[in-house]
Amino acid sequence: MFQEYDVIVVGAGHAGCEAAHAAAKMGSSVLLCTMNMNTIAQMSCNPAIGGVAKGQIVREIDALGGMTGIISDKSMIQFRMLNRSKGPAMWSPRSQNDRMRFAEEWRLALEGTPKVDFWQEMVTGLLVKDKRVIGVKTGIGIEIKAKSVVLTNGTFLNGLIHIGEKQFGGGRTGEAAAKGITEQLVELGFEAGRMKTGTPPRVDGRSLDYSKMEEQFGDENPEKFSYSDETSTLKKQRSCWITYTNKEVHETLETGFDRSPMFNGRIQGLGPRYCPSIEDKINRFAERDRHQIFVEPEGWNTVEIYVNGFSTSLPEDVQQKAIQKIAGFENCKMFRPGYAIEYDFFPPTQLKLTLETQLVDNLYFAGQINGTTGYEEAACQGLVAGINAARKVQEKEPFLLKRSDAYIGVLIDDLINKGTEEPYRMFTSRAEFRLLLRQDNADIRLTQLGHDIGLASDQRLEKMLEKKNETAKLINDLKQKKLDPETINTGLEEQGTAAIKEKITIEKLLKRPQLGLENIKTLDADINTYLSKYPKEVLEQAEIQVKYNSYIEKEQQMVEKLINMENYKIPDAFDYIKIPALSAEGKQKLHKIRPETLGQASRISGVSPADLSILTVYLGR
């Protein structure tokens, strides 16, 4: 009935979609297995993509040739660049999306990708022979052979939904949990754990009073995620709204705490620290009288509203009473209550940097199965797992991203070397080279790599090289072109910066914190004409490189030191147990994680600097 596939992807969420698309684009035959073809790329939580550090990840996925950025652009209803008041390392793109269109665009993209086949059914087990995966088994007993398998099960592995004292099996509301895979993996020697996440009620926008809320507009000149010409920026946008909880809301919520699965011990899994439920917020931050609520439309034409900030698993009657005490929600009608979901995950220290498991060859894990939270974190893991599954089948070198290459590299390195005991979310603070890993230069950093592996198109590469060359030419010109005091001093004083006594290059002038290229354009008509020839992204790139040049150079020097350690390979069969001078914890962690390089060993939690020195000596021998 079925051919033998190069790659089978189990699960069609954000990780599964990227894995299937990438592997097929690179020439592998792919079967995407999902329990429901109508929920491919479902936005299970909020209808938004990007945000702080997450937006950088989406740009990186796009630069490599992945699809999340393009799908986001095609389904976007609002765009905002967050943190514009801070330095460029912190600028983070974020979009509000039409939930139905996002899923539709992903399905159309996958159906339009040659070599992707689909199968709608639950996968209940793996076919494993001699510690190598050779296919999957489905609920009705069909066995499908494959050279590699990528598991992207999301919250479906033994998923358990909680609403107050009610609990029932499910991977998402209205969808069944996946049974059998966890138990088989544990039998094979994998360590499993439990995590939880939650979602807020969805409400009827027609029943809200927006006059009592603060309107949140999109950017005046919206950008987009994808560097390609396949998408365009928004011409119109939908607003979001902001309101707040109050003491009365909190008191009403507290009446349900005795029936809360979070407080009465029904939920065992750890929830996301940075996206807590509303009951968790009022319990942990009892001194606060109010918490912000973001009122987010679910699409262009639907009346459904996502109540961001009100995630809860309290009984539905308590949810209804409490939500109606929020300003603007007095007559709120609920479409469905919020709930918490508990699910199985596998500590990611059991993986290699390719996201292949250490215990079973050609088996890859991506997304929430690895303990992460968020569409973007899942999507980038799916991309890397799909790339590596395809490359292994094709007998090519693994595809690895270093911490200095991308936020994706930071995320995977953190997971493999440090593990996680709570849902892992990416932040800019996790990246030590964040001035190099900006959202504006992801194409310059990664498109060549994406092109080399057959994922990013020739057109993508040409576009990136043109931007890079134009930026270099502009920076060179800024170092040469000089401005005259008589021409620009009046303008400088109007901009709140000191006048000059002699001619000065534009580059030196640009280093002043008060001035950007847009300000400098106003100082001289000829310079304005010259700079206006360049596209916005080239001007922005040149300005950042000039202003932050000394800081960028320092980070580059740090990267070079790190690369020296990354180049120091550790043999596969190296026996850490036989090194008596290593600390007990160091031996245990090194033996378990089996780092591939000295650099990776240095980042393992529990491996001390002394352990590293001893290891260096032994490797030298």
Side-chain angles (χ1 to χ4, degrees), residues 13-122:
H14 301 266
C17 288
E18 285 289 3
H21 172 265
K25 193 96 183 284
M26 292 165 64
S28 293
S29 57
V30 176
L31 181 68
L32 180 58
C33 298
T34 174
M35 288 196 277
N36 187 350
M37 290 282 287
N38 295 320
T39 55
I40 287 174
Q42 180 88 303
M43 297 180 110
S44 308
C45 207
N46 61 327
I49 290 289
V52 177
K54 292 166 174 278
Q56 281 87 328
I57 288 175
V58 177
R59 284 261 163 103
E60 290 175 352
I61 291 170
D62 184 74
L64 286 165
M67 288 297 292
T68 297
I70 287 172
I71 302 296
S72 300
D73 288 349
K74 288 182 174 180
S75 59
M76 192 185 293
I77 64 173
Q78 189 197 81
F79 180 91
R80 292 173 67 221
M81 184 67 77
L82 307 182
N83 290 334
R84 271 285 192 190
S85 60
K86 299 180 180 175
M90 303 296 288
W91 298 352
S92 303
R94 183 184 190 272
S95 66
Q96 284 296 136
N97 294 79
D98 186 310
R99 185 189 297 280
M100 290 181 282
R101 286 193 62 194
F102 185 92
E104 181 189 27
E105 289 290 353
W106 245 126
R107 178 163 173 171
L108 293 173
L110 288 167
E111 288 181 357
T113 303
K115 290 186 167 283
V116 174
D117 290 346
F118 301 87
W119 184 247
Q120 178 175 290
E121 198 195 339
M122 185 188 294

Side-chain angles (χ1 to χ4, degrees), residues 439-508:
Q439 56 82 32
D440 60 88
N441 70 352
D443 54 343
I444 292 170
R445 289 184 278 122
L446 299 172
T447 298
Q448 184 72 62
L449 290 175
H451 184 265
D452 291 347
I453 60 172
L455 200 52
S457 65
D458 292 346
Q459 187 186 9
R460 285 291 193 105
L461 184 64
E462 287 162 18
K463 195 172 186 329
M464 180 279 288
L465 291 173
E466 185 182 353
K467 173 181 168 182
K468 192 175 175 182
N469 293 336
E470 288 283 280
T471 302
K473 179 182 179 301
L474 175 55
I475 290 172
N476 187 56
D477 285 353
L478 296 179
K479 289 177 180 176
Q480 310 298 324
K481 289 183 182 293
K482 292 189 175 181
L483 295 173
D484 200 302
E486 290 176 16
T487 310
I488 68 167
N489 272 345
T490 304
L492 287 177
E493 285 166 5
E494 286 170 1
Q495 300 280 1
T497 185
I500 57 170
K501 294 178 181 175
E502 55 189 34
K503 284 187 175 183
I504 188 171
T505 64
I506 300 175
E507 183 213 24
K508 280 191 178 169

Side-chain angles (χ1 to χ4, degrees), residues 1-3 8 126-127 134-138 140-145:
M1 181 178 175
F2 288 94
Q3 67 183 75
I8 289 177
L126 302 169
L127 304 175
I134 57 166
V136 300
K137 189 164 59 179
T138 74
I140 61 172
I142 297 171
E143 293 189 351
I144 311 171
K145 296 292 176 66

Side-chain angles (χ1 to χ4, degrees), residues 276-343:
S277 64
I278 188 67
E279 56 264 39
D280 198 15
K281 279 192 273 195
I282 64 175
N283 187 52
R284 275 165 53 189
F285 308 109
E287 73 284 357
R288 292 196 191 171
D289 291 337
R290 67 177 196 169
H291 293 283
Q292 207 166 36
I293 300 292
F294 296 93
V295 181
E296 300 178 350
E298 296 259 347
W300 283 114
N301 302 312
T302 180
V303 298
E304 190 171 356
I305 295 289
Y306 181 88
V307 191
N308 195 343
F310 204 82
S311 176
T312 180
S313 57
L314 286 168
E316 65 276 12
D317 60 319
V318 177
Q319 293 187 35
Q320 181 73 56
K321 283 175 193 165
I323 206 167
Q324 287 184 333
K325 290 180 167 45
I326 296 173
F329 280 71
E330 292 83 359
N331 299 306
C332 170
K333 291 179 182 175
M334 203 184 277
F335 281 168
R336 66 171 170 81
Y339 61 87
I341 183 162
E342 218 177 347
Y343 56 93

Side-chain angles (χ1 to χ4, degrees), residues 381-450:
Q381 290 173 73
L383 181 73
V384 170
I387 290 170
N388 279 307
R391 285 181 72 80
K392 188 158 188 194
V393 167
Q394 294 160 5
E395 298 182 350
K396 293 178 179 174
E397 285 292 304
F399 176 77
L400 302 174
L401 290 171
K402 300 186 290 295
R403 294 183 75 88
S404 53
D405 291 331
Y407 272 91
I408 301 172
V410 173
L411 180 142
I412 292 172
D413 191 78
D414 277 355
L415 292 175
I416 278 44
N417 294 317
K418 298 174 185 173
T420 186
E421 293 178 354
E422 61 186 40
Y424 177 101
R425 179 180 179 181
M426 181 50 76
F427 291 100
T428 49
S429 57
R430 294 192 192 271
E432 57 271 56
F433 306 119
R434 57 186 172 273
L435 189 52
L436 301 179
L437 309 183
R438 305 184 310 274
Q439 56 82 32
D440 60 88
N441 70 352
D443 54 343
I444 292 170
R445 289 184 278 122
L446 299 172
T447 298
Q448 184 72 62
L449 290 175

